[in-house]
Amino acid sequence: MSSQEIPEERLPAEQDTAHGAVEVADDPFADPGLPAHRPRIQDIDERAAKRSERTVALMFTMSMLATVGFIASYVIFPVDKIVFIWPFGHVSALNFSLGLTLGLALFLIGTGAVHWARTLMSDVEVADDRHPIEAAPEVKAKVLADFAAGAQESALGRRKLIRNTMFGALALVPLSGVVLLRDLGPLPEKKLRKTLWAKGKQLVNMNTMEPLRPEDVVVGSLTFAMPEGLEEDAHDFQNQIAKAALMIVRIEPDDIKDKRQREWAHEGIVAFSKICTHVGCPISLYEQQTHHVLCPCHQSTFDLSDGARVIFGPAGHPLPQLRIGVNSEGNLEALGDFAEPVGPAFWERG
Amino acid sequence: MSTVTDTKRKAPAGERVADWADGRLGIYGLAKANMRKIFPDHWSFMLGEICLYSFIIIILTGVYLTLFFHPSMNEVVYHGSYEPMQGIRMSEAYASTLDISFDVRGGLLVRQIHHWAAVIFLAGMFVHMFRVFFTGAYRKPREINWLFGFLLFVLGMFTGFTGYSLPDDLLSGTGVRFTQGAILSMPIVGTYISMFLFGGEFPGTDIIARFYSIHILLLPGIMLGLVVGHLILVFFHKHTQFAGPGKTNKNVVGMPLLPVYMAKAGGFFFLVFGFISIVAAIASINPIWALGPYRPDQVSTGAQPDWYMGFAEGFVRVMPGWEINLWGHTLVLGVLIPLVLFGVILAALALYPFLESWITGDKREHHILDKPRNAPTRTALGVAWVTIYFVMLIGGGNDIWATHFHLSLNAISWFVRIAFFLGPVLAFIVTRRICLGLQRRDKEKVLHGRESGTIKRLPHGEFVEIHEPLGPEQLYALTAHEQYKPLEIGPTVDKNGVERKPSALQKLRARLSRSYYGEGNQIAKPTAEEYKEITSGHGHH
Ligand code: HEM
Ligand code: FES
């Protein structure tokens, strides 16, 4: 059934629920047809048309000047010259002048062309016919017949063996492409569960790069630490620090509400993973009175005096704690790796 | 013989070149149908052009940037001309972006044009998409072009994301981390996809190079194909037009491509390019030097993605952190649900045209656009969708709202959560009422004329405003829209007395149809009889 056969202003009123035809109301007023064209001043007054012509030419000329200005700016302004331009403040002279001249050169071509089109080119509205997109029935019949003939000649329907093996071959061949993707990366295995921390690894203060001593950690301050032996120029520094970064604070032992936390601390010095358990941003803001830390990415807030429990935001579980102690040299050291994976949760985390 | 005509008249050089090309490409045949093709005029039809032109600008500037950018995560120590970064370790990607900004003359300008154009490209697509939505331009035969456009919008988001991740600065690296965390939340496959995408653990040394090939080749390649397809279809279908005198479903009224639209559209390209260049001259965007190179243990506060990612960001921020741990596995609902909702809400928009055409059962072509008020339910659904989108944008910037307006984060989160459910419902109700009100006003205008602003005093002292009757052109334009009748299930017993049970699907469809076109859900157009009755005889005002 071709939809084009239905008179468009009125689809069948009879409700055909299978196809769900609809009824459309008639237009109450007749179409008066295209309104007559109203001439513009330029259409009747040659002087006005001349003025428009000069305006357009002026814009194109100014565009040329702007391009010259662009080249001049490129040559004149040193790349590092900073100037003060009100109200934009201190800006790069080169960027400012290049952008402005290029912008003007382009913009003036645009205004010129549009002004030309609006004032001097014909603005008479005309109507073009539309033709239905659907093919005429004869065309469709011819195509179907052609296809049938082609299919017949290929004998694809009859020679099942060829058909089935061909589909099989075509279905299998993309597998090679999939296999080739295997070396995009290693399997996850236990990689997300392990960090550089291990029993006996000293905590290194990330500010001073010296081993951290208990007396360095004062109440009310937030200290960041990383494992000893990790060098900033190591090839895997970024990967390691992404998991091992630590956040150290000192809390009065009596203020620590969580029992295990108190045991894993050293005289109130607690070490938590710095990596947010939501989607992995590093945590950076510390509220000393409440011992709350805030992740700047989506504002998850953890209470470091209560097992780093989530008290606000989208994170789903507490920050993992690193068990620490003091070694014979009086430096803080880890007593093992984290007991659970750091960072965002994942399916195998458990 | 053709030589006869050739000798009679020596063709001008331009014509000879065209002849040469025609003999090989058949260009005269192509030009015959298209050179004087008619395009209707309406300001909203320029929105698609803004998208097209910013896309071209993005490609031009992007190619320039590839000449200087090094997509490498090798660590280098910076010795360029930006003093504050002297001696700092950074990836080559970041260092080369600094070079583009501070050592290549005009490099900063091109970088900023590229980024501004991307922001405008996505904003343009968003507005263009809703122009198409609210006017019903997606109806047959344009459903496929709707999908092309939708895909362009979605791919544009990801192209933008991979693009602003390339400089490997602290802000964008944080965005990449966020993506990796979101990928990890996917059940079963999450860790595998993460390892394969990053070539190992986060951040690894591959991701910038991989994003690079995705950003400059894979996605723009697909998008270029879609844009070309999109434009071919616009030509093939011919542009839609608003109802008005002389405009029918069988014609297209406007001005010819050559010269008017060639000049207007060509000129508009320069206007868009010029505008973006000026913006890039005076407004800095993504000043990566202020942030420093990416380190997974460092972060800047107030981290914000580009605006078009704010919608996804909002879901992630306001979702409660639900996690289910069972049988040694973790289902990270707090991240997974936002991820799924993001996809579902976008897909709902993509599929809407098919839902509507199922409800109406209308199989005709539509070339006359609807005024949004004349499709109240569609318009209300669209506004509801946009409401969700903007509520989530607010959620995505919750820290900005909190610091600028001194609000508590908690309050904003709860506002966004509640608004996610209530906002679209309210928006739907209010929009539909407004549409119906406007329809009533149109009807009023048709029947009683336009308010003239002139006040007349009647003999008995009453003041009335004179209404001027509308001309035939306005009468036609205000009543040319179609109104569907709601679908009825019809008698449950057919002609032969056999009982026919409508299926649940049919019932649903009839219900939806009623809610679109039923009584009270659209205002019946004035009929010619009503008009005659009112205008004939007794003095109306
Ligand atoms: C690269 C991005 C895009 C480009 C370059 C582009 C370009 C255009 C242009 C120039 C037109 C003709 C003028 C107009 O109606 O505005 C058009 C029409 C159209 N666009 Fe787009 N567009 C883009 C994105 C989109 C999106 C995101 C959608 C919706 C999902 C969309 C759907 C449509 C449809 C259905 C038409 C036909 C409408 C009609 O004839 O009235 N496009 N496009
Ligand atoms: S990553 Fe910390 S709240 Fe999202």
Side-chain angles (χ1 to χ4, degrees):
Chain A
M1 187 187 83
S2 160
S3 59
Q4 304 309 318
E5 293 156 14
I6 306 170
E8 60 180 301
E9 56 282 0
R10 185 168 263 285
L11 279 167
E14 188 70 32
Q15 292 297 328
D16 168 358
T17 35
H19 296 282
V22 282
E23 191 184 352
V24 184
D26 272 328
D27 292 345
F29 297 101
D31 180 356
L34 271 185
H37 174 243
R38 280 211 227 129
R40 296 162 298 189
I41 175 95
Q42 288 85 358
D43 294 332
I44 43 181
D45 180 358
E46 182 53 28
R47 281 210 317 266
K50 263 273 177 269
R51 267 202 306 277
S52 289
E53 184 183 348
R54 278 197 299 272
T55 310
V56 173
L58 178 70
M59 288 175 187
F60 288 159
T61 313
M62 289 188 345
S63 166
M64 289 190 252
L65 291 180
T67 299
V68 174
F70 180 92
I71 297 169
S73 312
Y74 191 91
V75 178
I76 294 168
F77 292 115
V79 68
D80 53 359
K81 186 166 177 61
I82 303 291
V83 290
F84 181 85
I85 295 175
W86 188 87
F88 310 112
H90 290 276
V91 295
S92 150
L94 186 64
N95 184 64
F96 189 78
S97 54
L98 289 183
L100 225 51
T101 47
L102 176 67
L104 280 177
L106 294 162
F107 202 84
L108 286 164
I109 296 180
T111 49
V114 171
H115 193 66
W116 180 15
R118 292 172 66 115
T119 58
L120 294 172
M121 292 179 186
S122 159
D123 71 338
V124 179
E125 284 205 311
V126 286
D128 234 3
D129 286 339
R130 287 182 194 273
H131 310 284
I133 311 269
E134 272 174 11
E138 317 81 80
V139 176
K140 178 178 166 187
K142 164 92 170 87
V143 170
L144 291 184
D146 283 356
F147 180 78
Q152 173 72 30
E153 283 165 28
S154 78
L156 197 70
R158 202 150 42 84
R159 303 206 189 277
K160 296 253 157 54
L161 196 57
I162 292 186
R163 192 193 64 186
N164 295 347
T165 49
M166 179 181 76
F167 284 160
L170 288 176
L172 280 193
V173 82
L175 275 185
S176 314
V178 176
V179 168
L180 284 175
L181 294 180
R182 169 61 191 87
D183 276 350
L184 274 178
L187 296 180
E189 291 161 333
K190 299 262 173 265
K191 295 188 183 65
L192 294 176
R193 300 191 162 269
K194 289 207 221 80
T195 76
L196 267 192
W197 292 108
K199 187 164 170 46
K201 277 244 166 121
Q202 301 191 87
L203 279 59
V204 173
N205 185 334
M206 296 203 41
N207 263 338
T208 60
M209 290 303 172
E210 296 293 329
L212 200 60
R213 304 179 66 85
E215 53 273 27
D216 299 339
V217 185
V218 292
V219 173
S221 75
L222 181 67
T223 312
F224 299 127
M226 65 180 190
E228 69 169 311
L230 180 58
E231 299 295 335
E232 283 201 355
D233 51 7
H235 72 98
D236 63 346
F237 174 77
Q238 297 274 68
N239 284 13
Q240 295 303 347
I241 198 72
K243 291 191 294 184
L246 271 194
M247 192 165 49
I248 321 274
V249 293
R250 188 190 275 274
I251 304 175
E252 286 302 328
D254 293 341
D255 289 349
I256 298 180
K257 300 182 192 94
D258 185 85
K259 183 159 153 285
R260 192 188 75 166
Q261 182 188 354
R262 214 177 304 131
E263 285 163 12
W264 285 20
H266 173 77
E267 294 167 356
I269 300 178
V270 288
F272 283 101
S273 164
K274 192 189 175 188
I275 307 302
C276 183
T277 58
H278 178 223
V279 288
C281 278
I283 289 164
S284 62
L285 303 170
Y286 176 52
E287 252 244 334
Q288 17 173 311
Q289 269 87 33
T290 53
H291 303 297
H292 292 172
V293 285
L294 175 85
C295 174
C297 282
H298 317 110
Q299 290 76 43
S300 287
T301 311
F302 304 85
D303 184 354
L304 293 194
S305 68
D306 190 9
R309 174 171 74 82
V310 185
I311 54 170
F312 178 77
H317 60 270
L319 297 166
Q321 187 182 2
L322 188 73
R323 188 168 186 183
I324 54 169
V326 166
N327 65 11
S328 51
E329 292 156 58
N331 296 334
L332 288 173
E333 65 167 9
L335 297 180
D337 199 350
F338 288 101
E340 50 181 323
V342 299
F346 48 93
W347 176 249
E348 298 89 339
R349 186 175 182 275
Chain B
M1 250 170 71
S2 67
T3 45
V4 177
T5 48
D6 283 349
T7 48
K8 241 195 267 166
R9 174 181 72 95
K10 182 100 175 82
E15 185 181 326
R16 270 179 288 140
V17 172
D19 284 345
W20 187 92
D22 185 52
R24 284 144 190 93
L25 302 168
I27 57 166
Y28 289 144
L30 275 178
K32 180 174 158 252
N34 293 314
M35 206 174 231
R36 295 280 279 178
K37 199 171 189 75
I38 298 300
F39 279 90
D41 213 359
H42 191 266
W43 64 267
S44 70
F45 301 162
M46 292 196 317
L47 295 167
E49 287 182 56
I50 296 183
C51 306
L52 176 64
Y53 301 148
S54 37
F55 185 58
I56 295 172
I57 295 165
I58 290 171
I59 294 177
L60 289 175
T61 50
V63 171
Y64 181 86
L65 292 173
T66 62
L67 304 177
F68 301 99
F69 179 73
H70 300 224
S72 154
M73 293 173 93
N74 285 343
E75 297 255 320
V76 293
V77 177
Y78 182 70
H79 293 300
S81 45
Y82 184 60
E83 282 304 323
M85 289 284 159
Q86 285 299 339
I88 290 188
R89 301 187 64 80
M90 56 182 63
S91 66
E92 242 184 278
Y94 185 74
S96 64
T97 315
L98 286 178
D99 288 345
I100 291 173
S101 308
F102 294 107
D103 295 277
V104 178
R105 281 183 286 172
L108 177 61
L109 182 68
V110 179
R111 243 195 83 221
Q112 301 207 134
I113 294 179
H114 191 72
H115 202 140
W116 274 119
V119 167
I120 290 171
F121 177 51
L122 277 136
M125 282 198 283
F126 189 87
V127 181
H128 171 56
M129 183 156 79
F130 278 96
R131 191 292 274 165
V132 169
F133 184 91
F134 286 124
T135 57
Y138 53 71
R139 288 170 299 169
K140 188 184 170 189
R142 296 182 179 77
E143 302 96 323
I144 296 174
N145 223 13
W146 166 261
L147 290 181
F148 278 14
F150 173 80
L151 276 179
L152 279 166
F153 180 64
V154 175
L155 292 180
M157 279 177 6
F158 287 102
T159 316
F161 168 71
T162 50
Y164 71 66
S165 298
L166 289 179
D168 203 18
D169 58 287
L170 197 53
L171 176 61
S172 71
T174 305
V176 176
R177 172 84 228 212
F178 167 170
T179 310
Q180 192 254 355
I183 291 172
L184 282 184
S185 78
M186 297 184 193
I188 306 172
V189 294
T191 48
Y192 290 83
I193 295 184
S194 170
M195 290 287 163
F196 283 15
L197 181 63
F198 286 82
E201 288 186 72
F202 179 85
T205 51
D206 291 331
I207 193 66
I208 295 292
R210 288 181 182 177
F211 271 11
Y212 187 61
S213 93
I214 294 173
H215 178 74
I216 70 156
L217 188 66
L218 183 65
L219 293 179
I222 299 172
M223 290 177 74
L224 191 62
L226 285 171
V227 167
V228 171
H230 197 76
L231 295 179
I232 289 178
L233 282 177
V234 170
F235 264 71
F236 176 61
H237 291 144
K238 298 191 172 139
H239 208 288
T240 48
Q241 58 195 353
F242 281 101
K247 299 178 181 171
T248 73
N249 208 32
K250 296 223 160 104
N251 72 7
V252 46
V253 175
M255 281 173 264
L257 180 64
L258 189 77
V260 180
Y261 277 98
M262 210 61 119
K264 277 194 184 171
F268 195 49
F269 167 73
F270 287 99
L271 289 181
V272 172
F273 203 166
F275 173 77
I276 295 178
S277 303
I278 291 172
V279 171
I282 62 184
S284 112
I285 185 166
N286 199 16
I288 47 111
W289 54 88
L291 303 165
Y294 180 60
R295 280 218 4 197
D297 62 330
Q298 290 174 2
V299 69
S300 61
T301 51
Q304 280 288 315
D306 266 9
W307 79 268
Y308 43 87
M309 282 302 189
F311 166 63
E313 177 93 9
F315 284 116
V316 172
R317 288 193 180 195
V318 304
M319 179 73 200
W322 296 341
E323 256 175 44
I324 298 180
N325 286 295
L326 267 187
W327 301 298
H329 287 295
T330 304
L331 197 55
V332 197
L333 292 176
V335 186
L336 191 61
I337 290 177
L339 216 58
V340 172
L341 275 179
F342 173 70
V344 167
I345 288 177
L346 284 176
L349 187 65
L351 298 180
Y352 176 79
F354 301 94
L355 173 77
E356 191 186 280
S357 77
W358 176 67
I359 295 172
T360 62
D362 189 345
K363 306 244 174 350
R364 300 164 308 153
E365 288 182 12
H366 289 273
H367 304 292
I368 297 284
L369 295 170
D370 285 327
K371 270 191 192 165
R373 70 185 61 169
N374 289 332
T377 306
R378 172 207 295 154
T379 304
L381 285 172
V383 174
W385 195 96
V386 174
T387 304
I388 294 184
Y389 193 91
F390 280 98
V391 163
M392 283 307 148
L393 275 188
I394 295 177
N398 61 355
D399 51 338
I400 310 284
W401 291 94
T403 46
H404 281 240
F405 298 99
H406 305 285
L407 300 167
S408 96
L409 277 171
N410 197 24
I412 298 172
S413 284
W414 276 104
F415 167 77
V416 171
R417 285 174 190 171
I418 294 168
F420 171 72
F421 293 101
L422 275 189
V425 178
L426 279 179
F428 181 88
I429 295 172
V430 170
T431 310
R432 200 148 79 153
R433 291 204 132 181
I434 294 177
C435 288
L436 292 175
L438 289 171
Q439 281 194 26
R440 257 184 229 111
R441 214 165 67 182
D442 284 350
K443 183 170 185 170
E444 199 61 7
K445 247 210 256 173
V446 167
L447 293 179
H448 300 284
R450 163 188 347 99
E451 291 168 6
S452 64
T454 321
I455 308 286
K456 190 172 103 178
R457 190 171 175 188
L458 297 182
H460 57 271
E462 192 194 342
F463 287 94
V464 291
E465 191 176 5
I466 307 217
H467 285 229
E468 283 171 10
L470 302 183
E473 285 165 9
Q474 278 163 309
L475 284 178
Y476 176 70
L478 285 178
T479 52
H481 57 283
E482 294 184 331
Q483 292 196 315
Y484 291 104
K485 293 252 158 65
L487 175 80
E488 306 287 350
I489 298 265
T492 44
V493 181
D494 75 5
K495 291 182 214 84
N496 309 325
V498 181
E499 197 160 338
R500 189 177 57 88
K501 246 195 141 73
S503 70
L505 210 59
Q506 276 172 324
K507 280 196 212 145
L508 172 70
R509 189 167 158 219
R511 248 243 301 285
L512 286 172
S513 180
R514 264 199 312 281
S515 70
Y516 269 72
Y517 311 112
E519 212 171 319
N521 299 331
Q522 60 181 1
I523 307 296
K525 293 200 288 196
T527 60
E529 293 77 50
E530 272 178 287
Y531 181 74
K532 273 194 211 104
E533 195 174 312
I534 287 181
T535 48
S536 68
H538 57 88
H540 72 290
H541 35 252

